[in-house]
Amino acid sequence: MTSIVVQFLNGLAGASTLFLIAVGLSLIFGVTRIVNFAHGSLYMLGIYIAYSAVGAFGAAGALGFWGAILAAAFAVGLFGALVEVLILRRIYQAPELFQLLATFALVLMVKDFVLWAWGPEDLLGPRAPGLDGAVTILGQRFPEYDLFMIAVGPVVLGLLWLLLNRTRWGTLVRAATQDREMVGALGVNQKWLFTGVFALGACLAGLGGALQVPREPAQLFLDLTAIADAFVIVVVGGMGSIPGAFLAALIIGEVKAFCIGLGNVTLLGVEVSFSKLTLVIEFIVMAIVLVVRPWGLLGRPQAAQRAAPTHIEPPLRAAPRGLAAGAAVLALVLAALPLTGAAYTVVLMTDILIFALFAASLHFIMGPAGMVSFGHAAYFGLGAYGAGLLLLRAGAPMEVALAAGPLAAALGAAVFGWFCVRLAGVYFAMLTLAFAQIGWSVVFQWDSFTGGSNGLVGVWPAAWLASKSAFYLFALVLCGAGLAALRRILFSPFGYALRAGRDSPLRCDAIGIDIKRLQWAAFTLVGAFAGIAGALYAFSKGSVSPDVMAIPRSVDALVMVLLGGVQTLAGPAVGAAALTWLQDTIARNTEYWQSLLGATILVIVLAFPQGIVGSLSRLGGRTEAE
Amino acid sequence: MGTRRAFFAAAACVLAAGFAAPAAAQGTIKIGEVNSYKRFPAFLEPYKKGWELGLEEVNAAGGVLGRKLELVSRDDGGNQGDAVRLAEELLSREGVSFLTGTFASNIGLAVSDFAKQKKVLFIAAEPLTDKIVWDNGNRYTFRLRPSTYMQTAMLIPDAAKLKKKRWAIVYPNYEYGQSATAAFKKLLTAQQPNVEFVTEQAPPLGKIDAGAVVQAIADSKPDAIFSSLFGPDLANFVRQGNLRGLFKDRPVFNLLAGEPEYLDPLKQETPNGWYVTGYPWYGIATPEHKKFLDAYKNRHNDYPRLGSVVGYTLVKTVAAAIRKAGSLDTEKLIAAMKGLEVDSPFGKMTYRALDHQSTMGAYVGQIGLRDGKGVMTSFRYEPGEKHLPPDAEVRKMRPAD
């Protein structure tokens, strides 16, 4: 009984932490519709700045300490305002989600900046003055600071409620959350509203980080941990709903605490480790919530945005004859590559081809079908594991194992997709992410079958593909065929129907197109293509580890598609080549390669707000018209 | 036909121009090194400083085989697929003679298997996984650091001496933590058959919910605790445990917690009397360590971490192996590595012919607070060879070459 009460309190303290991480993200998304990947980085900046500030002013007693915490939050808010004014404001007119690229670049740059400024060592701050001990609750010692944290969550929630409901600024923010075009039409200066909201959101993230100084060390992985948690909380609660975020944080905080409290339990003769379940529990909760409530606990269906003129996609046109000839020449040039004897170029190009197919498979549902997936790596990974497992565990020949990859991936996509297509927008994206994480946690923990965290080794191709050139040509044929097939399908009736479903669901319904079924079929189909890429990847590396289906791989695919241009068909391939090549070149030649890669992406984002191919072809189109 | 082929070759050349290979510096012996510098900087920045120092020493003394030694280093960003690609790049473009490095176990195993496929030597510097020399061992791979099993075994004598019956275990939920836990349970049970393991907590790496974990352990009322946490998880666990009084009158054994990388961040929070494996650079009085310490401080204006020792010893290993082989031929290098003796800052160590594991040991002892910093207050060196399973057992685990 005692331990249940204490674990409940632990859950509450955890919930406050989660709420502070997430609430700013929810606020920012509600108003600006920006999916801010850098929110975790803001949180991380908060804890690092607070660590230094506490070091500088902490000697001045409690006042210095709490002053330092608030100063850190304020500094992060200021940084957020700068980011909004200097970067994001320039790209609000870009296609949906393009801002995500800019925030991804920021993640890379902030990470390197923190490493440069604070060094690689974990930094554990001092305990909070006045709250540095423990009180006894039912005979158990409980840290005073954790009690304080329990109070902070509701206090921040209350203050935000007052701000949003009792001030003019708050009224405008709520209005913008519901219909930002109308707010603009009524003469409200949206620019400053957006800047203000972004700064407030950043400030809250910074506060969340700063308040962790007495609890956990500042370290370089907080950005990724925090961003995943933040997204889960925001989506479970309902995007843009602040009470929802609080409720979600409460549920997840408590579920985690009780999983840990339960530890190992024997159920029906099988030992279940609830402690190990904490690896993925928040994603399981998210999947359940989204399946039952498609807009989160307290969310409402997203208000339809009136599309800005740039948001309306030009219809796809069949490639002109010249382009087809160009593609043929390109294929021949690529086929001749091994003749140059540049062995490493062949290896790098193999990676690029594989990622081009992977990115194109994501683009197929993201662009023409309008379904953004945050968990596309699941099918890449299922392809890799499907092939690797059949080869190693069943002793199948490589050719058979290779075919098993896309089958496994398609099967996975069919199961997950059945749930996902019921959702729309960011909720769809987050459900795909939840399933990807659940899949990842299974391969990560199933040691006897998937090799657990070490993965599989010895996944080498058959003798006739052992040479890198042979494998490259093989990948060229498969990926080339895959790309061509994806393109061909888009110009089939199926492809037209998908695009119709994206552009006008209502009219589709009226003429008898079952959109959900089409989307499910598309999701399964691209799963298979991602699976081909994954299986090829496994054989090109000789090993598979859980990385192949982890979040960074999904993010890479998103970045590739957006970098190339989501409204073009060649975009994903160009984006894949650009990102892979950039990363390879920069990482080999510079020490702070992450920040340089981030800066390069940022430049591309600002220079090509439609993606590389999108912007170039727009430029080309204009000259033609003139 | 000929012209067409030439045309395509030319076109491909243009395409490849962007990837043009740098001209190889003549005369140096190039060794490839792949590691996750940006992913694990706390360990790998000191490691890099260590191999830089080692390299300067080797080259100041005239290099090896009359040539200068060069380490061509690459950052894989913690991604196993990228690590394999970079290993490929080092071999095919940089023309390195063999491969070294890696930190995470999954990457170590992947590069090890790649080395086997390519038939080149690979010296795994950091990975702790037992599998790299045992279950997944191959004739091309050698490993420098004492493994998870060895370091766990080093703690067993002290653990068994305490005669505690109820043990709680906490470990990061991935291969390293699982192996440490399995080895600890097996070895302690062998010494003390009536031992009970009352709870096992496996928080995700880097994401421990320390308050709840500490409470759950306290609820199981253990007599002692075995932990293999490190990094931020360790710091979180220690602070919550201190606040909640978990460590009062309970001995705690924590793998790796005496390494400066993980001990230094604890500062005031350092618990008293924990049994750990680690590296007390401030207290080792042997002449070989003193020499290393002075040189390192001179060169880098900083004190060494355990990573520094590993990086430094890696270069010494490379140099010794090439010298003994008298050539850069893979077969000769492998023959040289088997039974190779190397002078490390920890004294002489040997790469065993049996399983390619080095006999580098670790310092074992207890930690405490001194001048506001965590230090190992008492310690002894445990040589690696004392803490390996019997040869017959090793042979059974390791696949035939």
Side-chain angles (χ1 to χ4, degrees):
Chain A
M1 186 59 211
T2 316
S3 73
I4 291 178
V5 172
V6 177
Q7 287 297 16
F8 179 72
L9 290 176
N10 286 329
L12 286 181
S16 272
T17 308
L18 290 172
F19 173 66
L20 286 177
I21 296 175
V23 63
L25 184 69
S26 189
L27 205 61
I28 291 172
F29 178 83
V31 175
T32 65
R33 294 278 179 259
I34 291 180
V35 177
N36 180 18
F37 267 20
H39 200 72
S41 307
L42 297 171
Y43 172 82
M44 180 166 78
L45 272 179
I47 189 167
Y48 270 100
I49 294 175
Y51 174 86
S52 292
V54 165
F57 310 120
L63 196 68
F65 180 88
W66 296 109
I69 299 284
L70 290 178
F74 188 72
V76 177
L78 203 65
F79 175 72
L82 276 179
V83 166
E84 202 277 341
V85 172
L86 294 180
I87 301 168
L88 297 176
R89 190 178 278 186
R90 292 163 200 279
I91 48 173
Y92 281 126
Q93 292 304 313
E96 196 187 9
L97 276 181
F98 193 69
Q99 298 88 358
L100 185 153
L101 253 191
T103 59
F104 172 76
L106 275 178
V107 170
L108 293 174
M109 292 166 73
V110 169
K111 203 176 192 96
D112 254 9
F113 168 75
V114 169
L115 177 62
W116 173 80
W118 281 279
E121 208 166 78
D122 301 337
L123 302 173
L124 185 62
R127 295 183 186 178
L131 297 171
D132 53 357
V135 292
T136 303
I137 297 173
L138 301 173
Q140 306 278 335
R141 284 159 61 82
F142 193 83
E144 290 162 354
Y145 194 79
D146 284 25
L147 281 180
F148 166 76
M149 282 305 292
I150 292 175
V152 165
V155 167
V156 169
L157 177 67
L159 288 176
L160 275 177
W161 187 87
L162 284 177
L163 178 69
L164 292 176
N165 291 286
R166 290 287 180 270
T167 65
R168 177 176 155 74
W169 189 79
T171 311
L172 293 179
V173 168
R174 279 186 298 129
T177 307
Q178 283 180 8
D179 191 335
R180 67 180 193 198
E181 283 76 22
M182 181 58 84
V183 173
L186 291 173
V188 174
N189 187 343
Q190 282 198 53
K191 275 189 179 171
W192 287 111
L193 192 64
F194 280 26
T195 310
V197 167
F198 202 88
L200 178 63
C203 180
L204 286 166
L207 180 68
L211 284 172
Q212 288 300 305
V213 163
R215 290 186 92 219
E216 62 175 321
Q219 43 116 347
L220 288 158
F221 279 98
L222 284 176
D223 54 349
L224 293 185
T225 322
I227 191 63
D229 283 346
F231 270 106
V232 169
I233 300 294
V234 167
V235 165
V236 169
M239 305 275 313
S241 162
I242 288 168
F246 187 78
L247 183 63
L250 210 59
I251 292 174
I252 290 176
E254 289 300 341
V255 169
K256 267 192 179 172
F258 280 98
C259 276
I260 294 166
L262 278 172
N264 293 5
V265 177
T266 309
L267 291 175
L268 307 169
V270 186
E271 179 157 321
V272 182
S273 171
F274 281 93
S275 163
K276 285 188 177 175
L277 202 59
T278 51
L279 184 65
V280 54
I281 188 70
E282 62 262 48
F283 290 99
I284 295 177
V285 171
M286 178 161 82
I288 294 170
V289 167
L290 287 183
V291 166
V292 179
R293 289 186 64 91
W295 292 286
L297 293 170
L298 300 183
R300 293 199 204 103
Q302 250 165 294
Q305 272 186 70
R306 292 170 197 81
T310 47
H311 285 153
I312 296 171
E313 285 200 34
L316 292 174
R317 290 197 198 87
R321 212 163 273 266
L323 198 67
V329 171
L330 179 68
L332 282 172
V333 170
L334 287 177
L337 187 65
L339 299 178
T340 62
Y344 177 60
T345 309
V346 168
V347 171
L348 185 62
M349 281 304 295
T350 310
D351 268 17
I352 289 181
L353 287 171
I354 291 170
F355 289 137
L357 179 61
F358 178 43
S361 72
L362 173 63
H363 171 262
F364 187 97
I365 46 170
M366 196 169 149
M371 304 186 284
V372 181
S373 166
F374 284 178
H376 205 51
Y379 314 107
F380 188 79
L382 280 174
Y385 272 98
L389 285 170
L390 202 64
L391 184 88
L392 296 178
R393 302 276 185 258
M398 172 240 163
E399 294 79 0
V400 178
L402 192 67
L407 280 179
L411 195 68
V415 174
F416 295 159
W418 191 82
F419 293 99
C420 293
V421 296
R422 266 136 247 279
L423 275 53
V426 176
Y427 296 100
F428 171 88
M430 291 304 288
L431 189 57
T432 59
L433 175 66
F435 283 128
Q437 279 302 93
I438 291 168
W440 170 83
S441 74
V442 170
V443 300
F444 189 85
Q445 304 204 73
W446 195 355
D447 292 83
S448 56
F449 188 59
T450 63
S453 58
N454 280 341
L456 305 169
V457 291
V459 188
W460 294 104
W464 61 282
L465 288 176
S467 102
K468 288 293 155 188
S469 298
F471 194 85
Y472 164 76
L473 290 174
F474 183 66
L476 180 63
V477 169
L478 273 189
C479 295
L483 288 169
L486 280 172
R487 189 183 171 91
R488 177 70 192 79
I489 295 167
L490 280 181
F491 289 102
S492 72
F494 175 68
Y496 283 107
L498 270 180
R499 276 183 276 155
R502 173 196 66 189
D503 291 338
S504 183
L506 215 57
R507 287 180 206 172
C508 276
D509 251 2
I511 56 172
I513 298 176
D514 185 346
I515 304 170
K516 292 295 161 214
R517 225 163 92 194
L518 282 181
Q519 289 181 334
W520 186 33
F523 197 84
T524 310
L525 180 78
V526 299
F529 281 94
I532 297 175
L536 279 173
Y537 187 74
F539 284 113
S540 77
K541 303 294 176 193
S543 51
V544 189
S545 83
D547 306 344
V548 295
M549 56 198 303
I551 296 177
R553 175 75 61 212
S554 294
V555 174
D556 275 357
L558 274 173
V559 169
M560 287 167 185
V561 171
L562 292 169
L563 206 55
V566 70
Q567 296 178 350
T568 66
L569 294 180
V574 172
L579 185 71
T580 312
W581 182 79
L582 269 178
Q583 186 169 338
D584 178 70
T585 311
I586 295 176
R588 273 191 294 113
N589 296 314
T590 47
E591 192 189 342
Y592 284 92
W593 61 268
Q594 293 185 113
S595 50
L596 200 57
L597 181 63
T600 312
I601 293 178
L602 210 52
V603 169
I604 296 177
V605 165
L606 294 176
F608 302 106
Q610 309 289 324
I612 298 171
V613 180
S615 294
L616 288 181
S617 66
R618 196 163 274 232
L619 215 63
R622 199 172 297 151
T623 26
E624 241 169 63
E626 285 158 4
Chain B
M1 191 63 200
T3 49
R4 219 161 84 192
R5 192 159 174 168
F7 166 76
F8 286 130
C13 280
V14 172
L15 197 85
F19 310 84
Q26 281 305 311
T28 63
I29 295 177
K30 286 185 168 189
I31 306 302
E33 200 270 348
V34 182
N35 233 318
S36 316
Y37 290 98
K38 287 281 149 151
R39 187 77 167 65
F40 304 103
F43 203 99
L44 291 174
E45 283 196 2
Y47 162 84
K48 187 171 184 203
K49 287 180 177 170
W51 65 248
E52 281 170 354
L53 174 67
L55 211 53
E56 284 164 15
E57 283 186 13
V58 167
N59 286 334
V64 279
L65 308 183
R67 292 157 73 184
K68 292 242 181 291
L69 198 59
E70 183 188 348
L71 217 59
V72 188
S73 175
R74 294 284 183 260
D75 187 351
D76 59 34
N79 182 304
Q80 170 225 28
D82 287 354
V84 173
R85 194 188 72 225
L86 290 167
E88 188 96 50
E89 189 248 352
L90 288 168
L91 287 177
S92 60
R93 185 149 69 165
E94 294 290 342
V96 300
S97 303
F98 55 87
L99 298 168
T100 64
T102 72
F103 184 91
S105 296
N106 65 330
I107 297 181
L109 286 167
V111 174
S112 158
D113 199 58
F114 171 79
K116 177 179 158 199
Q117 183 78 2
K118 284 276 173 181
K119 301 195 167 41
V120 294
L121 174 65
F122 170 51
I123 304 173
E126 305 276 6
L128 290 179
T129 178
D130 303 324
K131 294 200 167 97
I132 205 165
V133 290
W134 295 342
D135 307 56
N136 291 77
N138 65 53
R139 64 187 297 263
Y140 297 93
T141 303
F142 292 78
R143 191 249 305 274
L144 198 160
R145 267 188 98 179
S147 64
T148 310
Y149 176 93
M150 290 160 75
Q151 300 204 44
T152 308
M154 290 172 194
L155 288 175
I156 292 292
D158 286 328
K161 225 180 280 169
L162 296 177
K163 299 255 179 290
K164 297 286 182 190
K165 192 154 182 280
R166 296 168 61 84
W167 284 80
I169 296 184
V170 52
Y171 62 94
N173 186 9
Y174 75 108
E175 203 258 3
Y176 149 76
Q178 291 156 4
S179 303
T181 302
F184 184 81
K185 284 163 82 172
K186 185 178 149 213
L187 293 172
L188 190 63
T189 314
Q191 300 251 328
Q192 198 186 326
N194 68 338
V195 67
E196 254 182 78
F197 299 100
V198 289
T199 186
E200 269 183 41
Q201 286 288 331
L205 176 64
K207 293 184 70 178
I208 190 172
D209 234 317
V213 169
V214 164
Q215 180 63 35
I217 292 177
D219 287 341
S220 70
K221 303 207 172 16
D223 302 327
I225 298 167
F226 174 71
S227 150
S228 45
L229 300 174
F230 62 94
D233 289 332
L234 176 65
N236 278 343
F237 181 67
V238 165
R239 174 155 283 175
Q240 287 288 337
N242 280 341
L243 279 166
R244 293 169 192 245
L246 177 67
F247 311 134
K248 208 165 163 290
D249 305 324
R250 275 193 191 106
V252 179
F253 288 72
N254 202 125
L255 220 53
L256 313 186
E259 295 176 7
E261 285 87 338
Y262 311 127
L263 183 56
D264 291 357
L266 300 182
K267 289 181 285 198
Q268 296 284 354
E269 208 68 54
T270 308
N272 201 22
W274 282 24
Y275 297 83
V276 299
T277 61
Y279 170 43
W281 59 272
Y282 32 80
I284 304 172
T286 61
E288 54 269 24
H289 184 263
K290 179 119 188 19
K291 191 169 143 262
F292 164 74
L293 182 64
D294 292 342
Y296 191 89
K297 280 185 163 168
N298 265 336
R299 172 67 178 79
H300 292 299
N301 206 11
D302 193 6
Y303 60 90
R305 314 319 198 259
L306 183 62
S308 319
V309 176
V310 175
Y312 181 82
T313 311
L314 174 67
V315 175
K316 297 285 158 154
T317 302
V318 166
I322 298 175
R323 259 186 220 122
K324 186 174 161 198
S327 129
L328 295 171
D329 174 68
T330 298
E331 288 307 317
K332 287 192 180 135
L333 283 167
I334 290 174
M337 280 297 293
K338 289 188 181 206
L340 180 74
E341 267 203 0
V342 179
D343 292 311
S344 82
F346 292 177
K348 278 213 186 314
M349 54 178 243
T350 313
Y351 285 87
R352 309 201 315 165
L354 172 68
D355 59 359
H356 298 188
Q357 169 66 44
S358 97
T359 59
M360 181 187 241
Y363 287 83
V364 174
Q366 288 180 281
I367 52 175
L369 196 60
R370 187 190 294 155
D371 304 329
K373 276 187 289 206
V375 290
M376 288 178 75
T377 47
S378 66
F379 55 84
R380 60 179 190 277
Y381 182 68
E382 287 288 339
E385 60 270 25
K386 264 178 60 189
H387 297 281
L388 282 154
D391 290 0
E393 225 173 277
V394 170
R395 275 196 199 93
K396 225 185 289 163
M397 282 187 284
R398 194 176 154 92
D401 283 341

